């Protein structure tokens, strides 16, 4: 008589904890399971998390439509963890995925050759030779960009796994291929072939979606390159999905793609690739920033800022200080946030450490510990103990002006408003050390510092409910580190300053020699001139970006 085979622990856990509806959805899924869905454990030292790149985000992530109650969020986070671990949810068969996304060899070869050689005509001529009428285009063509330098050891391994899933040529390594080259040559190749009557090329160009594996900076880099299509009237703009490989991953969290690289990464990545070609598309505001500084002052700008050369700043009556006759201009685009102050200084120090000693920054947990160390070292938590009062706050070096919605006039805003903190008994005028202009609900690894404000408070302050596509930035301040810590654990909201459709920062030197700034996780150090002002202008880009919802 044979012994009864014991039920595996994970099945007992699923049957006792997960709702039956999840099992039913799995049984009803038309997708087939595959043997290669089984995930090996991560190597020693790798990050271990339980969030999925496809499932609903955890309880810390703000909803795209409305805020959930804390009780509902905590319950959903438990379910999300199981989804991320691969215990529940559908599995995607490799053949089913390839049938949907793989681009025909003829057109794929033309795209790759156009990007590689930057010879558009030769690639078009090679692809046009032959009979394309017999080809059926893929239902949901997909191209993947992988930042192999993100995510520690995850990047290169992830790249190889995706290449095995959908083919080597449909995966572009961003350390080798610039996304701007793909837009300028790869997509242009499809457009040219479509003009010649190639139906397959036309279908692929119109239905193409892009998956980006990287952090917020990588996602912003790709979105900025795709935004050039709107500037050149080359619509449609392909929407993107995200596999989070960064530290904060706030863009990924905001659109339901998860906050970190998933533990069961093989099956989760496969589901992500399926989701990016089937999920609904969301709109996202993007913001254009121009930094005008005395010639030679901006040192080591991030790759997200490009040098526009010398220019003459047009005075419109809103500048209080003195501008040089000639200024150097840099511009870029951000999607989540711009900040100035101590938080940017901490990020700047971390990035330099990672560049100099990459072996020290090998995963999200290690990175957060390094961030905490720099926060304490640079005085973020010891503002009252600083001997020079002028170094305690931004008000001594910064003048803030905004334009409100549907107005063209600048309005000066006190930085910060005069107020005394009841918690620390320290004047905000001296204690605000970071100012953030936020577009999304997520900042600092999924926190919502602006908060879910009540309607009465919004009306009292003249605010409106914050959305990522409303044409407004939420401006708030962080005082010393203790205040920031309470904000980050969502016990209190940040110091609300304003909502604006355009922002101007005038920065002048004094006791400070350098100003630290960052946008979407890309920090830089900017020398401050005692004699002349530096100007930062921010306004909304007239077109929106498109991101696939991972929820």
């Amino acid at each position: 008589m044979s012994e009864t085979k014991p039920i595996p622990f994970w099945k007992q856990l699923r049957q006792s904890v997960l709702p039956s509806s999840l099992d039913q959805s799995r049984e009803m899924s038309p997708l087939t399971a595959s043997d290669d869905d089984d995930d090996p454990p991560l190597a020693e030292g790798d990050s271990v998390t339980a969030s999925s790149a496809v499932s609903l985000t955890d309880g810390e992530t703000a909803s795209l439509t409305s805020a959930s109650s804390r009780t509902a969020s905590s319950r959903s986070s438990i379910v999300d963890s199981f989804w991320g671990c691969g215990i529940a949810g559908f599995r995607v068969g490799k053949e089913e995925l390839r049938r949907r996304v793989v681009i025909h060899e003829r057109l794929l070869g033309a795209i790759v050759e156009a990007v590689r050689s930057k010879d558009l005509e030769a690639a078009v001529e090679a692809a046009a030779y032959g009979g394309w009428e017999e080809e059926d285009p893929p239902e949901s063509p997909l191209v993947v960009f992988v930042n192999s330098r993100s995510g520690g050891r995850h990047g290169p391994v992830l790249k190889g796994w995706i290449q095995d899933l959908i083919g080597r040529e449909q995966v572009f390594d961003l350390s080798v291929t610039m996304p701007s080259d793909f837009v300028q040559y790869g997509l242009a190749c499809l457009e040219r072939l479509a003009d010649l009557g190639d139906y397959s090329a036309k279908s692929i160009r119109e239905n193409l979606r892009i998956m980006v594996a990287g952090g917020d900076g990588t996602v912003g880099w790709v979105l900025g390159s795709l935004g050039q299509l709107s500037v050149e009237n080359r619509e449609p703009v392909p929407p993107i999905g995200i596999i989070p490989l960064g530290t904060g991953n706030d863009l990924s969290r905001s659109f339901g793609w998860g906050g970190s690289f998933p533990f069961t990464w093989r099956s989760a990545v496969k589901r992500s690739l399926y989701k990016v070609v089937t999920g609904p598309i969301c709109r996202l505001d993007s913001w254009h920033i121009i930094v005008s500084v005395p010639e030679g002052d901006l040192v080591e700008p991030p790759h997200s800022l490009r040098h526009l050369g010398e220019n003459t700043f047009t005075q419109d009556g809103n500048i209080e200080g003195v501008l040089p006759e000639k200024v150097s201009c840099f511009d870029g685009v951000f999607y989540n946030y711009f900040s100035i102050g101590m938080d940017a200084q901490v990020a700047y120090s971390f990035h330099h450490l990672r560049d100099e000693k990459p072996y020290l920054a090998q995963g999200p947990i290690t990175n957060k510990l390094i961030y905490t160390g720099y926060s304490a070292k640079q005085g973020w938590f010891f503002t009252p103990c600083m001997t020079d009062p002028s170094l305690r706050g931004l008000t001594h070096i910064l003048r803030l002006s905004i334009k409100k919605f549907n107005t063209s006039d600048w309005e000066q805003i006190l930085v910060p408003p005069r107020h005394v903190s009841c918690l620390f008994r320290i004047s905000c005028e001296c204690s605000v050390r970071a100012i953030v202009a936020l577009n999304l609900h997520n900042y600092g690894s999924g926190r919502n510092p602006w908060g879910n404000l009540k309607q009465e408070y919004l009306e009292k302050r003249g605010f409106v409910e914050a959305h990522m596509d409303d044409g407004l930035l939420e401006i708030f301040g962080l005082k010393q580190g203790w205040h920031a810590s309470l904000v980050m654990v969502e016990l209190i909201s940040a110091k609300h300053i304003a909502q604006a459709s355009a922002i101007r920062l005038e920065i002048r030197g004094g006791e400070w020699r350098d100003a630290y700034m960052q946008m979407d996780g890309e920090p830089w150090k900017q020398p401050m001139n005692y004699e002349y002002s530096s100007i930062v202008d921010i306004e909304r880009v007239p077109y929106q970006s498109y991101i696939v919802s991972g929820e």
Side-chain angles (χ1 to χ4, degrees), residues 214-216 243-254 258-261 445-446:
D216 284 348
I243 298 176
L245 290 181
T247 301
N249 300 310
D250 289 307
L251 273 166
S252 177
R253 296 172 191 270
S254 297
S260 56
F261 194 68
S445 300

Side-chain angles (χ1 to χ4, degrees), residues 181-200:
D181 289 340
F182 177 81
V183 170
Q184 184 176 355
Y185 299 102
L187 295 184
C189 178
L190 291 175
E191 293 164 0
R192 188 73 59 85
L193 288 167
D195 292 340
L196 294 175
D198 190 331
Y199 168 75
S200 185

Side-chain angles (χ1 to χ4, degrees), residues 252-306:
S252 177
R253 296 172 191 270
S254 297
F255 290 92
W257 292 102
S260 56
F261 194 68
F263 174 61
T264 54
W265 61 274
R266 289 179 181 265
S267 56
V269 166
K270 195 185 299 183
R271 292 194 300 268
S272 294
L273 295 179
Y274 184 84
K275 188 64 177 179
V276 75
V277 297
T278 59
I281 299 173
C282 303
R283 294 176 179 267
L284 171 68
D285 285 336
S286 50
W287 296 86
H288 184 216
I289 179 172
I290 298 179
V291 183
S292 303
V293 300
E295 185 181 2
D297 271 7
L298 192 63
V299 180
E300 297 181 2
H303 70 76
S304 52
L305 287 179
R306 61 173 180 169

Side-chain angles (χ1 to χ4, degrees), residues 202-241:
K202 182 175 185 294
S203 176
I204 291 172
R205 175 64 183 89
E206 292 177 348
N207 297 300
L208 182 68
R209 296 194 178 190
I210 295 174
M211 176 63 85
V212 181
D216 284 348
T218 302
V219 175
W221 186 19
V222 174
L223 286 175
S225 300
L226 293 174
Q228 191 63 26
L229 294 171
S230 296
V231 175
E232 299 173 358
N233 294 318
R234 293 169 56 194
E235 285 87 358
V237 178
I240 73 163

Side-chain angles (χ1 to χ4, degrees), residues 108-124:
L108 183 59
I111 295 172
V112 172
E113 178 60 24
V115 174
R116 184 193 63 81
S117 66
K118 298 180 174 57
D119 188 345
L120 183 60
E121 296 302 327
V124 169

Side-chain angles (χ1 to χ4, degrees), residues 322-447:
V322 179
L323 287 171
E325 184 176 344
K326 293 288 185 180
V327 294
S328 293
C329 294
F330 301 79
D331 84 328
V333 176
F334 69 91
Y335 302 87
N336 189 3
Y337 69 91
F338 166 85
S339 70
I340 177 172
M342 183 58 71
D343 67 326
Q345 183 178 0
V346 172
Y348 179 83
S349 300
F350 170 77
H351 276 250
H352 268 256
L353 175 69
R354 185 170 61 179
D355 291 341
E356 295 174 0
K357 301 177 180 179
Y359 54 87
L360 293 180
Q362 289 290 339
I365 296 178
T366 304
N367 294 347
K368 286 178 173 62
L369 291 175
I370 296 174
Y371 262 95
T372 303
Y374 274 119
S375 298
K377 177 182 177 182
Q378 294 172 353
W380 183 248
F381 287 92
F382 303 107
T383 302
C385 302
M386 299 183 70
T387 57
D388 191 342
S390 67
L391 299 182
R392 292 182 181 175
L394 293 173
T395 186
H396 300 278
I397 66 164
L398 187 65
R399 184 173 183 264
L400 170 64
S401 300
I402 68 168
K403 288 182 181 179
K404 293 185 177 179
F405 190 68
N406 287 334
T407 63
S408 58
D409 298 327
W410 289 107
E411 176 184 340
Q412 185 179 353
I413 303 296
L414 294 178
V415 183
R418 294 180 180 272
H419 174 72
V420 176
S421 169
C422 297
L423 182 61
F424 297 104
R425 297 297 176 187
I426 298 169
S427 169
C428 285
E429 185 177 10
C430 295
S431 63
V432 167
R433 303 189 66 190
I435 292 178
V436 183
L438 185 64
N439 185 38
L440 303 179
H441 290 165
N442 287 297
Y443 168 82
S445 300
R447 275 58 180 180

